[in-house]
Amino acid sequence: MTVVGPFGLSVRDQALEAGVQAGLAAVESGLLDATKSDVPFITEAAQHLVRAGGKRFRPLLAMLAAQFGDADAPGVVPAAVVVELTHLATLYHDDVMDEADVRRGVDSANSRWGNSVAVLTGDFLFARASHILADLGPEAVRIQAEAFERLVTGQILETAGPRDGRDPVDHYLEVMRGKTGSLIAVACRFGAMMSGADEATVDILTQYGERLGVAFQLADDVLDIASDSHESGKTPGTDLLEGIPTLPVLHLRAQAAADGKPDDLALVELLDGDLGDPDRLAEALRLLRAHPALAQARRDTVRYAQAARAVLKPLPECYAKLALEEMCDAVVHRAG
């Protein structure tokens, strides 16, 4: 049994491991090629996050989904590169919107070169992704366009907030399905589709990807509060400090509004105050870790991960299916 990819995913078959590792290496090479420019400064900026590393979660899923057809089909690696380039481009834009200073352990592009360069570099990556996509055919272009529309819509909905009368938790989950789930779904869809898998298999893996994507993001929400380490890739409490309304906080606010318990209202007031004081942030984390809202967020994470696992049931038993199932378990494990 060997371990590849994010979360220490177990791969129990040497042939599968070799194929996945070869695919991921080809994707890495493809990312470097796609981010080269005749202008050295553009190359430096475009490769900034590529060279910083990352989980390569989406390419890994594409490689696993491709196992249900011809995993060596010529479109599999380029499609995985397209999805990862799109993801990287959104990170450049997200860091500008969030005024982030650090990404993947290095200075964010906006803090290093300014917002204009970061936005334009993200646009450059979108352009390179589109160039590769054009060679994969009109159906691939349409799928990517629809997913990107959902991703941007999710980002806009997050920025705008829930409309009057809309349950904030339902709104948040809708945002996650678009902002995170849509592109992970495309990674699975492209992997299966480019490998020549049948339509039913492609549909199953697409549904799996979206559900897993939501579970993955919800696990990050839990980790931001529950973890004392750097499992989430950032310091615990970062989302709280930045005022990002993650799922545990939304559950807390809903419970405080419904029950009006003094302790809950006091915690909401603490979260609404200045958390720049390390003592106040530490107190907020301590109280949230003991609050039922965190347990509810964990249950939501498990629910989406279990739904992702369940949708795989019709697929034939094989090592690739087992790896996808274990990915669901790994996401749940991350959330504690």
Side-chain angles (χ1 to χ4, degrees), residues 50-67:
V50 174
R51 294 187 181 280
K55 299 181 182 71
R56 302 293 187 254
F57 184 42
R58 293 153 189 81
L60 173 60
L61 287 170
M63 294 303 115
L64 290 173
Q67 302 299 317

Side-chain angles (χ1 to χ4, degrees), residues 91-245:
L91 297 184
Y92 280 83
H93 288 180
D94 282 351
D95 285 347
V96 171
M97 293 177 64
D98 299 339
E99 300 179 350
D101 294 324
V102 176
R103 169 70 70 174
R104 295 181 172 176
V106 299
D107 291 343
S108 62
N110 51 296
S111 67
R112 184 167 180 176
W113 294 295
N115 286 346
S116 294
V117 169
V119 170
L120 291 169
T121 302
D123 293 345
F124 176 80
L125 295 181
F126 284 132
R128 285 297 175 89
S130 298
H131 189 272
I132 297 169
L133 197 61
D135 292 332
L136 297 178
E139 178 69 2
V141 173
R142 182 187 64 79
I143 289 168
Q144 175 76 354
E146 289 175 352
F148 191 53
E149 179 183 347
R150 289 189 63 206
L151 189 158
V152 173
T153 299
Q155 184 69 67
I156 292 171
L157 288 174
E158 181 180 55
T159 302
R163 64 180 182 273
D164 290 345
R166 179 77 191 275
D167 180 351
V169 172
D170 288 344
H171 171 83
Y172 182 75
L173 292 173
E174 180 185 1
V175 166
M176 290 303 104
R177 286 191 291 271
K179 182 181 173 183
T180 304
S182 61
L183 196 58
I184 292 177
V186 166
C188 293
R189 185 172 184 176
F190 274 169
M193 188 175 87
M194 295 299 166
S195 75
D198 62 77
E199 189 174 336
T201 298
V202 172
D203 183 58
I204 286 170
L205 289 166
T206 303
Q207 292 181 56
Y208 165 85
E210 180 156 331
R211 296 174 188 187
L212 184 72
V214 175
F216 177 74
Q217 181 57 58
L218 298 186
D220 268 2
D221 286 2
V222 171
L223 276 174
D224 185 62
I225 293 167
S227 176
D228 286 321
S229 67
H230 296 286
E231 293 173 81
S232 61
K234 55 189 178 184
T235 304
T238 297
D239 290 338
L240 293 181
L241 189 59
E242 295 175 356
I244 297 171

